[in-house]
Amino acid sequence: MASTLLRKSKDLRRVCAIVVKSVHIDTLNVLIRAESTSVPTRDSSNVDVREQSTSAPTKFQDSTGCNCPFEHIFENLDYGISKVRYAGQTSSSERKSTFQEEMDLEKETCSFSQDEKVESGIKQRADEIARKFSSDAYKNAKPFSEIPGFPTLPILGGIHNFFPGGVLYGLTWREQKWLMQKKYGNIVKETPFPGFTRINIFDPDDAELIFRTEGKWPLRDSFFFMQKHFNILHNKGVHGLATAQEAEWHKLRQGVSKYIVPPQVIGEYCRGVQMVARDFVTRLGKVKDSEGLIENVIPHIKNFSFEAIALVCFNTRLGAFSDDRSNQENIDFIQSVDTILECSYLELKQIPLFRYYKTKTYRRYENAMQCTKRICLKHIAIARERHRAKIVAGEAGVEQEVYMGLITNLITNDNLSEEEVFIIMHDIFTGGVDTTSHMLSFVLYLLAKHPNYQEQVREEILGELKNKDLLDIEDVRALKLVRAFVKETLRLYAVAPANSRNLKQDLVLSGYLVPKGSVVLIHNDWISLNEGYVEDAEKFMPERWLRHATSKINHPFAYLPFGFGPRSCLGRRMAELEVYLAIIELLKKYKLSQTNEVIKIGEGIVNALVPPLKIRLTPR
Ligand code: HEM
């Protein structure tokens, strides 16, 4: 006992000394991130070992439907809604509208049938949730203090675990969470730094309960501290979607959702984005060498994603594929968004001293934000002018406003101030460019790596689209193999590694009582790669998403790459549309081959493929 205390006090002294000395310590700042950042690698060398099998992939089994397990839970939500009492929500009609939105969204992305098995599955799940809400469940729950986790010290919490000698020392975030799950199970408490405790969730049942009880205004309050700081100083305290909470968040979300979420609206962007995809492919054709090889395709993918989002937002082309470097403003804009993302990641690795003085990272961030704001305000002014001119000409409302870009819709919404419009634009650029380009990088890697699947996907594209030149959203939706391929890519390589929430009420999670307000981090990348929830989890099998698949996803909350519920990803459909169209345009023209043998996944705010990504393009 005495020796343990002595050892602990030595540890404590050592940790204190390190803390005092360190101003820029990576490890410490892993702690300051409340979430995000991860490294989906299986081994310490950070090289991804998934997908190294050389065996030929099986054929897609069925092209008649989609086997998305979400569908089952959404298909008959009414049952779950009437059966379960969701505390924190006032009326069942409110809940219904939220779930109805979700249901519509899922129905939209997956075609599925109603059958008895599905019905009984839903009933079972609703019963299960009801059971978790029963007073018995609360009465029998083990206390919060007993949730297992890495050892903590008085005052310092679990900080010592990250320092030399600590169990987490030198591990990537992904390795840390794999280790914590293995050691402690499906619910793990962590106090990574003093005064901050979070609960790590590895059980999709718990995820389901959290999401189904989050109410209409889910809380996700542990991200982007620099952005909050900037908004207070330079944006009249107006926060964006990523950082606002409660009514403030809801107002923004309502203000923008209708212009970017509904399928018919996304359809309006289809041809514009197709043109961008076509230019992307033309660009790749130009930069490949005489052998067809592109040593690193990632910057071009990023430009594609940027150009597509700019078109959607501003109804303008930024010229990201052009060799002409004369448009300094566009170059600055692209660089600023890059800098913002880079600094947002650095923020997670550094002590938040920017709150007290302007650190180097914060100065870079602030300059980039100011530049982005200036350019967004310019586009807002252009859109206002264009709209005014239409009113004068008596044409307002005649033309489909969607074609005029998201910004036109936002400025004509009287409920949104200029600061709010700017920060929404900012969120879309920072939330949408990198994520989508990482997803597309993984998709191209897997297409090149699996020639059989590539051929099947191409056959579907040629067969379904015939020689149709300009596509509508219905054409894209008909491509089930393309969609299954993308879904499976995101399952294997979740771009967003975890979903976070602050609990809206006390919940019993994995048998423990977790109080309202607790920060929970749901590790969807771990869950979607776990054999317990996904059969043949390590294998890349797009056919699992088709109806009648033999290899199944066994839990409807085992795959949540875009989050869930009213606060789920705003740009999901846009991201998917971009990726589908890039695949279509690329495979019509080229065969993809000779990619990296293995890939590395880098630690950043999201999971990204570490460049370079090599691709050989052979004209068809
Ligand atoms: C592969 C691409 C993408 C992935 C994997 C992804 C993933 C996510 C996830 C996991 C969340 C949090 C959801 C939750 O807490 O339940 C989120 C939120 C968000 N995403 Fe995406 N995203 C992607 C693309 C995009 C695009 C293209 C845009 C913009 C057009 C976008 C804009 C946003 C915004 C604004 C939020 C915050 C929503 C809110 O809090 O109301 N994302 N995204």
Side-chain angles (χ1 to χ4, degrees):
M1 175 73 175
S3 71
T4 313
L5 279 176
L6 189 68
R7 210 180 57 238
K8 279 202 170 173
S9 80
K10 272 187 187 161
D11 279 345
L12 191 70
R13 276 208 305 278
R14 204 182 64 204
V15 168
C16 288
I18 296 171
V19 170
V20 170
K21 270 197 250 160
S22 315
V23 175
H24 197 92
I25 323 159
D26 270 9
T27 328
L28 171 67
N29 293 304
V30 168
L31 321 172
I32 289 160
R33 65 181 123 181
E35 54 228 342
S36 72
T37 74
S38 84
V39 189
T41 55
R42 291 304 166 79
D43 61 0
S44 51
S45 64
N46 203 20
V47 172
D48 191 90
V49 295
R50 283 164 276 184
E51 279 312 290
Q52 292 189 27
S53 134
T54 48
S55 63
T58 46
K59 209 170 156 47
F60 282 115
Q61 294 178 350
D62 180 344
S63 61
T64 59
C66 178
N67 188 37
C68 172
F70 278 113
E71 298 153 2
H72 305 176
I73 200 82
F74 292 113
E75 200 163 7
N76 197 356
L77 277 163
D78 284 355
Y79 178 83
I81 289 161
S82 57
K83 180 95 181 169
V84 181
R85 174 122 199 93
Y86 290 89
Q89 288 176 317
T90 44
S91 72
S92 66
S93 62
E94 275 179 358
R95 294 196 298 272
K96 193 165 174 175
S97 67
T98 301
F99 287 136
Q100 190 64 47
E101 272 173 32
E102 237 8 272
M103 184 166 92
D104 291 346
L105 198 106
E106 281 310 319
K107 277 191 169 171
E108 156 55 23
T109 46
C110 315
S111 50
F112 56 94
S113 73
Q114 293 218 9
D115 60 32
E116 273 179 24
K117 213 168 122 216
V118 167
E119 298 263 335
S120 69
I122 290 161
K123 188 171 177 315
Q124 239 175 25
R125 302 210 62 76
D127 286 342
E128 177 68 9
I129 293 174
R131 200 181 53 72
K132 290 189 176 176
F133 265 104
S134 72
S135 56
D136 271 0
Y138 281 84
K139 229 189 303 165
N140 299 331
K142 286 177 267 181
F144 183 75
S145 58
E146 285 183 16
I147 298 177
F150 293 114
T152 54
L153 294 173
I155 306 171
L156 286 177
I159 203 166
H160 59 295
N161 295 315
F162 295 90
F163 287 94
V167 272
L168 300 174
Y169 178 68
L171 300 185
T172 63
W173 192 50
R174 182 184 169 93
E175 287 161 347
Q176 288 168 21
K177 66 177 170 175
W178 252 253
L179 176 71
M180 78 166 80
Q181 195 286 329
K182 201 168 170 204
K183 214 166 152 68
Y184 299 110
N186 280 354
I187 181 161
V188 185
K189 185 159 58 179
E190 226 191 336
T191 305
F193 60 95
F196 176 73
T197 296
R198 71 175 163 222
I199 304 300
N200 295 277
I201 301 290
F202 297 90
D203 183 339
D205 272 354
D206 288 339
E208 177 167 11
L209 195 60
I210 293 164
F211 284 125
R212 293 209 177 283
T213 52
E214 65 182 6
K216 278 178 33 168
W217 299 350
L219 264 178
R220 195 189 53 226
D221 190 19
S222 38
F223 260 126
F224 305 127
F225 302 113
M226 258 184 342
Q227 196 199 117
K228 282 188 195 164
H229 194 66
F230 176 89
N231 288 336
I232 290 165
L233 295 182
H234 302 291
N235 204 38
K236 297 189 179 163
V238 173
H239 296 292
L241 280 162
T243 49
Q245 305 301 338
E246 305 281 349
E248 189 188 3
W249 163 80
H250 187 239
K251 180 190 164 205
L252 295 181
R253 180 87 190 203
Q254 261 195 327
V256 67
S257 274
K258 55 182 173 238
Y259 304 122
I260 196 162
V261 175
Q264 64 275 22
V265 173
I266 288 295
E268 302 292 349
Y269 295 114
C270 189
R271 292 193 177 181
V273 176
Q274 189 190 357
M275 289 304 114
V276 180
R278 207 164 266 186
D279 291 350
F280 164 59
V281 175
T282 307
R283 180 71 187 165
L284 294 187
K286 272 194 191 152
V287 295
K288 68 179 170 45
D289 67 15
S290 54
E291 308 276 287
L293 200 66
I294 301 173
E295 286 294 341
N296 183 17
V297 76
I298 287 180
H300 307 290
I301 294 177
K302 174 99 173 270
N303 283 340
F304 163 65
S305 176
F306 204 98
E307 193 75 5
I309 293 285
L311 181 81
V312 169
C313 286
F314 300 148
N315 188 33
T316 191
R317 294 290 299 265
L318 292 187
F321 303 127
S322 163
D323 283 326
D324 175 12
R325 303 277 89 189
S326 61
N327 189 336
Q328 193 55 41
E329 185 175 271
N330 288 349
I331 295 169
D332 290 348
F333 190 44
I334 295 174
Q335 271 171 2
S336 295
V337 173
D338 259 352
T339 306
I340 290 167
L341 289 167
E342 190 195 325
C343 294
S344 300
Y345 173 57
L346 285 177
E347 142 185 343
L348 302 170
K349 302 182 73 177
Q350 294 170 1
I351 297 175
L353 293 175
F354 65 85
R355 289 177 182 170
Y356 310 105
Y357 78 100
K358 288 190 178 183
T359 57
K360 192 173 158 211
T361 308
Y362 181 75
R363 283 201 308 274
R364 285 182 66 211
Y365 179 84
E366 193 179 89
N367 285 339
M369 283 292 278
Q370 298 285 27
C371 172
T372 314
K373 187 167 179 181
R374 182 171 45 78
I375 295 168
C376 282
L377 292 183
K378 185 188 120 181
H379 283 283
I380 290 173
I382 294 172
R384 278 196 205 290
E385 196 42 54
R386 206 165 45 196
H387 188 67
R388 216 170 285 135
K390 281 172 74 185
I391 292 176
V392 171
E395 289 172 1
V398 174
E399 192 177 345
Q400 253 289 6
E401 290 291 348
V402 170
Y403 288 121
M404 306 303 288
L406 188 59
I407 204 163
T408 308
N409 295 295
L410 296 185
I411 55 139
T412 50
N413 181 336
D414 293 339
N415 286 328
L416 295 176
S417 67
E418 191 153 279
E419 287 75 24
E420 285 170 328
V421 175
F422 153 66
I423 205 70
I424 290 173
M425 288 290 130
H426 162 276
D427 280 354
I428 288 178
F429 273 98
T430 49
V433 174
D434 254 29
T435 44
T436 312
S437 64
H438 297 326
M439 168 156 81
L440 187 53
S441 310
F442 289 126
V443 165
L444 296 197
Y445 164 70
L446 290 169
L447 278 171
K449 194 150 189 227
H450 294 280
N452 273 357
Y453 282 136
Q454 187 186 145
E455 280 316 304
Q456 291 172 54
V457 166
R458 181 166 188 268
E459 272 166 30
E460 181 189 57
I461 292 171
L462 299 183
E464 285 286 336
L465 303 181
K466 309 277 184 277
N467 288 324
K468 193 168 177 190
D469 185 35
L470 291 178
L471 302 181
D472 298 315
I473 194 76
E474 289 73 26
D475 302 317
V476 179
R477 260 182 225 146
L479 303 174
K480 295 189 173 73
L481 305 189
V482 174
R483 288 156 59 206
F485 194 97
V486 172
K487 275 191 164 168
E488 180 68 349
T489 302
L490 268 186
R491 186 192 65 78
L492 208 59
Y493 296 105
V495 172
N499 289 308
S500 166
R501 289 289 183 271
N502 302 56
L503 290 191
K504 294 294 279 286
Q505 61 180 97
D506 295 356
L507 286 183
V508 179
L509 301 175
S510 290
Y512 295 91
L513 186 65
V514 183
K516 177 179 173 176
S518 302
V519 175
V520 290
L521 200 52
I522 301 158
H523 296 287
N524 49 286
D525 58 352
W526 185 90
I527 295 173
S528 68
L529 285 173
N530 187 278
E531 284 288 332
Y533 312 119
V534 179
E535 287 168 29
D536 304 311
E538 292 281 323
K539 288 194 188 147
F540 180 67
M541 299 173 67
E543 65 272 22
R544 75 170 84 238
W545 296 100
L546 301 176
R547 195 170 294 146
H548 311 310
T550 47
S551 216
K552 295 256 176 352
I553 307 240
N554 293 326
H555 197 292
F557 282 72
Y559 174 78
L560 297 178
F562 294 99
F564 182 85
R567 197 134 197 191
S568 63
C569 178
L570 181 82
R572 171 185 176 171
R573 289 206 174 127
M574 189 49 72
E576 288 170 339
L577 181 71
E578 281 176 46
V579 171
Y580 298 153
L581 287 166
I583 297 174
I584 294 168
E585 291 299 324
L586 202 50
L587 293 192
K588 276 201 294 194
K589 225 166 158 190
Y590 292 108
K591 178 178 175 189
L592 274 59
S593 61
Q594 202 190 336
T595 184
N596 310 31
E597 260 313 298
V598 287
I599 50 171
K600 275 185 169 185
I601 315 286
E603 185 159 8
I605 210 156
V606 287
N607 288 331
L609 196 159
V610 175
L613 174 62
K614 202 166 33 173
I615 295 278
R616 185 184 296 281
L617 298 180
T618 314
R620 296 278 189 177

